Amino acid sequence: MDPNQYCQDKAAASGSSFYYSFLFLPPLKRRAIVALYAFCREVDDIADECTDTTVARTKLAWWRTEVAGLYRGEPHHPVSQALSPVIKQFDLPAEQLLEIIDGMEMDLTQHRYADFKSLRLYCHRVAGVVGELSAVIFGHTERATLRYAADLGLAFQLTNIIRDVGEDARRNRIYLPMDELEQFNVSAADILNARETDNFRQLMEFQYQRAQQFYEQAFAALPQTDRKAQRTGLVMAGIYRTLLEEIRGEGFKVLTQRTALTPLRKLWIAWRTWMKT
């Protein structure tokens, strides 16, 4: 299969909100961002779907070797082949692709986070770095735009964490900081056993407010000169913030259900945000 088609199919099959924002990009940048997204999906799927930690580590180690081969001009995997012209055109550093793999590797052994500081490192690796790489592909003239992109990536990941509390709990993973559970008198057992209490809803409101803070922080950092170039990220933000409001409006029933927007609604939000940005 053609490497770009492989990445396109990978992105489309995921049903991710990101995919809808890519549709408005010119072909060259769309192929580039889809290739980056497909790379993230490949390594994320290993962490999420591989139940044997040893096998998962081996697969992630293979991807580290593949990244090294990619930068030597010897890509083997279709995603790496699609990324090959992208890393040259946009001067993407290998270190950042490897840092994404570092984040996925954390999922294999770390299922709890003591505080937000440790969770933030994880979020930066799996989402903040992706935000920075995406901003480079979209185009920027100001250094502050990379700070915007990193914070926006964190906001997206915090939104994902809120949405997926129940799903993650069923994998014995809790991405809500343990000290904050204690602060709101919520136990790990409450989350693992899907006990929706008033305390849990207060805890989730706290998480919601933090996510909103990162959205606002990101938008405040984005220079006006780069706003047009970064429209794709703003489209993603429009979709994700709508999802976040939906979750809150439903009373944070994230332990027992997974809130999602319909494809048509995502497309409408994407078009509306693109046109007014």
Side-chain angles (χ1 to χ4, degrees):
M1 183 186 288
D2 172 72
N4 288 313
Q5 189 60 50
Y6 178 95
C7 294
Q8 179 70 23
D9 291 349
K10 186 87 178 173
S14 73
S16 168
S17 300
F18 293 130
Y19 179 69
Y20 293 86
S21 62
F22 301 160
L23 299 175
F24 296 88
L25 284 167
L28 192 66
K29 289 189 176 184
R30 185 166 66 243
R31 280 196 297 272
I33 197 67
V34 166
L36 175 62
Y37 179 77
F39 169 79
C40 296
R41 282 257 54 92
E42 289 287 343
V43 293
D44 188 37
D45 287 348
I46 293 170
D48 281 349
E49 296 171 8
C50 205
T51 53
D52 187 319
T53 304
T54 304
V55 172
R57 282 192 184 283
T58 302
K59 288 185 174 184
L60 289 177
W62 183 89
W63 269 105
R64 290 183 190 280
T65 305
E66 180 68 357
V67 169
L70 167 63
Y71 280 82
R72 288 196 309 270
E74 301 168 2
H76 295 99
H77 194 281
V79 168
S80 310
Q81 291 167 1
L83 273 174
S84 187
V86 175
I87 62 168
K88 294 170 189 166
Q89 181 183 354
F90 297 101
D91 196 24
L92 305 182
E95 292 77 18
Q96 287 190 294
L97 294 182
L98 293 172
E99 195 169 4
I100 294 168
I101 297 175
D102 288 342
M104 304 308 176
E105 200 154 26
M106 288 174 75
D107 270 333
L108 302 183
T109 53
Q110 190 162 353
H111 297 160
R112 305 285 188 275
Y113 290 85
D115 50 33
F116 182 64
K117 183 181 178 182
S118 55
L119 178 66
R120 183 169 181 166
L121 172 62
Y122 168 76
C123 291
H124 174 71
R125 286 175 170 174
V126 301
V129 172
V130 181
E132 291 172 350
L133 290 169
S134 300
V136 172
I137 291 171
F138 299 150
H140 70 99
T141 58
E142 304 282 347
R143 181 108 191 125
T145 300
L146 297 180
R147 189 168 71 250
Y148 141 83
D151 281 344
L152 192 60
L154 257 67
F156 291 157
Q157 188 61 26
L158 293 173
T159 303
N160 284 340
I161 286 170
I162 291 168
R163 179 194 63 196
D164 296 339
V165 174
E167 193 175 301
D168 290 330
R170 289 185 281 279
R171 291 178 173 146
N172 192 32
R173 294 177 182 171
I174 299 176
Y175 291 99
L176 307 174
M178 289 294 109
D179 62 345
E180 292 171 12
L181 264 70
E182 187 176 345
Q183 178 185 337
F184 287 91
N185 199 24
V186 174
S187 68
D190 288 336
I191 291 174
L192 296 176
N193 293 302
R195 288 197 282 264
E196 290 180 345
T197 63
D198 286 340
N199 286 350
F200 174 76
R201 283 184 282 275
Q202 289 169 24
L203 169 66
M204 296 313 295
E205 175 67 22
F206 185 80
Q207 307 304 315
Y208 163 89
Q209 293 295 342
R210 173 186 283 136
Q212 290 288 23
Q213 181 184 335
F214 272 97
Y215 282 113
E216 294 302 327
Q217 195 170 297
F219 298 148
L222 177 60
Q224 191 61 35
T225 50
D226 282 342
R227 190 172 172 82
K228 282 279 188 200
Q230 296 297 319
R231 280 194 296 187
T232 302
L234 297 173
V235 166
M236 293 180 203
I239 295 171
Y240 260 70
R241 288 189 99 177
T242 301
L243 174 65
L244 189 58
E245 291 301 334
E246 198 100 335
I247 293 168
R248 190 194 196 200
E250 292 173 351
F252 297 111
K253 296 192 178 298
V254 291
L255 290 171
T256 53
Q257 65 186 45
R258 189 179 194 269
T259 302
L261 306 179
T262 65
L264 187 61
R265 193 169 175 200
K266 289 176 185 176
L267 194 56
W268 162 247
I269 296 167
W271 178 83
R272 186 186 60 196
T273 308
W274 185 270
M275 294 304 292
K276 73 178 185 181
T277 303

